[in-house]
Amino acid sequence: MRPLTLSRLLLQCVILGAILFCVMVLALKFGAVHVSLYGLGRDLLRVFLGKSTEISSEYSLILNIRLPRILLGVLVGASLSVAGTSFQALLRNPLADPYVLGVSNGAAVGAILALLLEPHLALTPEIASVFTPLGGFLGAAIAITAVYFLGRREGRIDSSTLLLGGVITASLLSAIIILLLTTMPSSNVRGMAYWLMGELSAVPSRPLGWVLRVGFLAAAAVIYTTASDLNLLLSGEKEAMHLGVDVRRVRLIVYIAASALTGLAVAMSGSIGYVGLLVPHVMRMIFGSDHRILIPASAFGGAIVLVIADTLARTVAAPAELPVGAITAIAGAPLFIYLLRRKLA
Amino acid sequence: MTATARSTSSRNPMDAARAAAEPRLSVEQVSYAYSPNPQQAPIFTLEATSFHAKAGEVTAILGPNASGKSTLLQIISGALHPLSGRVLLNGFVTHDLEPRARGQRIAMVQQESQLLFPSKAWEFVMQGRHPYGRSLRFETDDDVLIAKNALAQVGAEHLSDRWMDQISGGEKQRVILARALAQQPLLLLLDEPTLHLDIGAQVDLLETLRRLAVENRYTVVIVTHELNLVGEYADQVALLQKGKCLRVGAPASVYQRDLLEQVFQTQLTVELGSTGRPRVSILPGSGS
């Protein structure tokens, strides 16, 4: 009998944080322009000391272009992975991922509509730069709300009804995406296809970046407060209720917060697949199914995986860039099949 | 008194004596109606049912399938609102209790716990401590002690580090019971706990329940189909048929041959054993 303690939790988080840091530094190093780790360390230190003027132009380029992209990867990876962990517990379904309820398809429809509308509206450049992500987030929000009302039974969220409602909504929206794509001018289709596959090259503007950061921290913190409740919810709704869990409240909180995480991530980077499905499973194998450790571990794990995948996307076919979603799917699908077979064996 | 038993004794011995004599659980005229659609007539109704139980007593709810046993148990647990009437536990209406307060007073052992992701037996038992903390909490040394004690009380210390999906049905049932004990409840409810157990494990479970009810002063309510186990181990029986409570009383007074034959639609014989407890036997080939 060895219950989780705060010090053990913190130690594990520090280890994962250190791994993430190393991955981020390596991701900074690799790319079309090669740089030395020593030079990187020296200039990073200068940035921290506020001596930005002393940085060589080469490193300044790296820090201004690669670093924001890596930070975006960290946030998106962590968001998707925490959302996946939450949906798996909420729906009591190990196959659930952040997109199972149609959030990503909703975001895609919103983004495509925004892209189609944009030329017809006289938008200032500032608004135009955030117009597509905004459309994406709105689309996600509308999909979440619709699925919530579809998934209610006798005034409360019912896991299986929610799942069915979500899957149906997702397939309807994906049909709409195909229709919209066929009516799009061909110049937009390629960009949209990349977005649908998921990519991190469009680093959000400063205010959007803050929305993403604050949104992630708030939603993840809210989900984390229900970590013990989620552990019990996994044994079933009735059991959780008899053990003192306010099931209705926890379901609603987790549903909204996990959907918001997904909506934010998808609005910024498109629907990057497999991170939200696989990382929670891998973390569960390493750390067990206790959500008090699983949620932070998934956040770190998702960030690590997505930063590695994006580094590969930038480098394997350089100077061409691949959509990171294609990398996660190509690496993720075989891994998932392996995990599934191992579980069945 | 063990660590898993909640102290219910009062300071004044007179008060303590009075508390022991008064019922701890009062089921007062509770009824229920279920219809899948509010516009339709209910497809199941539970007519007004009453009984009382003291600390240390084992009450069994008996009846054929679809007689309303589990519904009555859910109402007692506070999970289901009765249509009319109320259930009082130490003077508090059970369905008005906050989820956590309810979890500290009422423990429910369900038919089967479905685990999505496997956990160790001790982790499972530790869930019983959930009502005693905030939503996000880390277990204290006291929680560990109580969980260990709970496992010891059901003779399952050796299962502590085993995975829940790798132990037998009888062992699992003990661990589930240990989780209920870790809640340190006043009221212990069990919904068909003997369902997947062999006869030895069934007797073992009932012996354990009987002993725990006395030692820890639990009020135990059990829903089951096992007439003879109830006859042997229960203090009180509530007999239900098609949502109607036909009789409440000691097993010997409820186990009337005519009554049981009519309720269970088969020919039976009822004898009194040497202990004064009733025994029910079937007459083969007599099913209607």
Side-chain angles (χ1 to χ4, degrees), chain B residues 209-229:
Chain B
L209 281 176
R210 177 78 264 172
R211 176 173 54 79
L212 290 173
V214 174
E215 281 177 7
N216 295 355
R217 306 302 294 161
Y218 296 139
T219 301
V220 178
V221 180
I222 175 172
V223 162
T224 179
H225 285 292
E226 303 298 330
L227 288 171
N228 281 325
L229 286 176

Side-chain angles (χ1 to χ4, degrees), chain A residues 11-323:
Chain A
L11 177 68
Q12 283 166 335
C13 286
V14 167
I15 293 171
L16 284 168
I19 296 173
L20 175 61
F21 181 77
C22 295
V23 167
M24 285 170 73
V25 169
L26 288 177
L28 271 176
K29 177 177 161 59
F30 292 112
V33 181
H34 283 274
V35 290
S36 75
L37 274 180
Y38 169 74
L40 255 180
R42 183 194 59 205
D43 284 358
L44 270 176
L45 196 66
R46 282 179 186 160
V47 171
F48 282 122
L49 294 175
K51 297 179 192 164
S52 309
T53 46
E54 293 171 31
I55 299 171
S56 56
S57 62
E58 194 185 25
Y59 288 104
S60 149
L61 199 72
I62 301 282
L63 292 182
N64 285 328
I65 293 179
R66 269 185 217 164
L67 188 59
R69 179 169 174 159
I70 289 167
L71 290 176
L72 178 68
V74 168
L75 273 183
V76 168
S79 299
L80 290 177
S81 187
V82 170
T85 309
S86 311
F87 277 123
Q88 285 168 7
L90 179 75
L91 300 170
R92 304 194 65 234
N93 191 324
L95 287 178
D97 76 350
Y99 309 140
V100 72
L101 298 181
V103 179
S104 60
N105 289 355
V109 170
I112 295 172
L113 285 177
L115 212 62
L116 287 172
L117 278 176
E118 203 187 312
H120 305 288
L121 304 169
L123 298 173
T124 60
E126 292 88 47
I127 297 181
S129 72
V130 300
F131 198 62
T132 313
L134 201 65
F137 190 72
L138 270 179
I142 292 170
I144 291 162
T145 316
V147 171
Y148 170 74
F149 284 104
L150 281 176
R152 276 197 327 169
R153 224 166 102 180
E154 292 165 9
R156 60 205 297 172
I157 298 180
D158 175 78
S159 297
S160 49
T161 317
L162 190 69
L163 190 56
L164 272 176
V167 169
I168 301 288
T169 308
S171 67
L172 174 70
L173 288 170
S174 97
I176 295 175
I177 293 171
I178 303 220
L179 282 179
L180 286 174
L181 279 182
T182 51
T183 59
M184 253 186 165
S186 58
S187 59
N188 281 346
V189 170
R190 194 183 144 80
M192 213 54 231
Y194 260 68
W195 195 82
L196 284 175
M197 200 66 224
E199 47 134 18
L200 291 167
S201 60
V203 170
S205 58
R206 196 168 270 270
L208 266 186
W210 276 108
V211 170
L212 183 62
R213 263 164 257 168
V214 173
F216 167 73
L217 286 177
V222 164
I223 291 174
Y224 194 62
T225 62
T226 67
S228 304
D229 296 324
L230 287 180
N231 290 342
L232 297 184
L233 216 50
L234 282 182
S235 343
E237 182 184 346
K238 274 188 183 164
E239 302 219 22
M241 194 179 58
H242 288 298
L243 289 163
V245 177
D246 189 342
V247 175
R248 187 188 291 219
R249 197 187 116 257
V250 170
R251 281 238 170 97
L252 190 62
I253 286 176
V254 173
Y255 176 68
I256 292 173
S259 299
L261 279 181
T262 314
L264 281 173
V266 177
M268 300 293 169
S269 61
S271 28
I272 298 170
Y274 283 94
V275 175
L277 174 67
L278 269 176
V279 173
H281 281 290
V282 175
M283 291 299 144
R284 218 174 263 120
M285 284 176 183
I286 302 172
F287 296 99
S289 53
D290 185 338
H291 285 80
R292 292 173 300 180
I293 177 71
L294 187 59
I295 290 172
S298 292
F300 283 112
I304 292 168
V305 164
L306 197 55
V307 171
I308 292 175
D310 189 47
T311 308
L312 289 175
R314 284 190 289 121
T315 52
V316 282
E321 238 180 59
L322 305 173

Side-chain angles (χ1 to χ4, degrees), chain B residues 258-269:
Chain B
D258 296 349
L259 184 64
L260 292 187
E261 282 186 345
Q262 178 245 317
V263 168
F264 291 100
Q265 297 283 300
T266 190
Q267 286 183 25
L268 304 162
T269 60

